[in-house]
Amino acid sequence: MLLGRLQAQAEQDADAASSFAQALRFDERDPEAHVGRALLAMRAGDLGGAGRGLERALELASEVGASPELRARLEAARGRLRFESGSFADARERASAALALDPRCAEAQLLLASVTIEQGGDALPALRAAATGAAPPAEAIGRLALRLPAGAEACAAARRYLDAAPRGYDADAVRAVDARCR
């Protein structure tokens, strides 16, 4: 499951899917693996499958007395699902609930940044918080690199993204930022 989280964080979705499937073969009641699979389903555009996966993860998390960190990631994932469905207010509310559970939840900060971007606001504070949060997704670091003005901070973020996800979704655009740093 942890390997799957790292692979998903690095935007290696096929590898992550395989790792989550293997984790569920060991323990079909692992809420973390269900959350991971749900997030991958969202990335693939399967919002129905993601919703079902999140419901199962929530059910299992409540049975095992999940940690505040897992509950925060679940709230952030539920918010991401609402965001993908176009409900920005609900997404923002879920992100805030996640941050109340775990102020370092990078996924919640990334969700706030996504909502802010869609609403035409300044996403840099939320992207910075996501990039320095607990287990930040490469997406947060890449988006930060792309939105920062040219300079040392943008270069550092670009290098970090490319180290984490050299074949990631934003790799080509982030490589252009990195190329200006040399």
Side-chain angles (χ1 to χ4, degrees):
M1 188 283 303
L2 289 174
L3 178 59
R5 277 193 68 198
L6 288 171
Q7 291 164 327
Q9 190 179 1
E11 301 178 351
Q12 298 171 356
D13 292 357
D15 293 336
S18 176
S19 293
F20 290 135
Q22 185 173 8
L24 289 170
R25 281 194 296 276
F26 288 121
D27 181 3
E28 67 183 33
R29 301 182 55 76
D30 183 343
E32 294 259 13
H34 284 281
V35 172
R37 287 180 68 171
L39 290 170
L40 293 177
M42 268 186 257
R43 282 195 216 181
D46 179 8
L47 300 185
R52 288 186 297 278
L54 286 176
E55 289 305 316
R56 180 70 175 140
L58 283 165
E59 175 186 311
L60 294 170
S62 68
E63 289 176 9
V64 299
S67 68
E69 294 82 10
L70 174 57
R71 290 187 359 248
R73 286 196 315 277
L74 275 163
E75 282 300 315
R78 292 174 73 196
R80 174 60 64 179
L81 185 60
R82 299 304 304 146
F83 174 83
E84 296 297 336
S85 299
S87 182
F88 300 148
D90 287 347
R92 186 177 293 279
E93 185 177 310
R94 295 281 184 199
S96 295
L99 290 170
L101 290 164
D102 178 10
R104 292 193 26 87
C105 182
E107 293 94 340
Q109 291 289 356
L110 177 58
L111 178 56
L112 286 176
S114 297
V115 170
T116 301
I117 289 166
E118 287 298 318
Q119 294 176 333
D122 178 14
L124 280 177
L127 287 171
R128 282 185 174 111
T132 59
E139 177 185 0
I141 300 163
R143 284 182 163 198
L144 178 63
L146 294 171
R147 285 187 162 61
L148 285 167
E153 187 181 11
C155 293
R159 179 70 357 234
R160 242 180 106 195
Y161 175 85
L162 293 171
D163 286 346
R167 295 180 314 274
Y169 306 122
D170 295 322
D172 290 339
V174 173
R175 271 193 195 84
V177 171
D178 187 54
R180 291 190 300 267
C181 297
R182 300 185 192 283

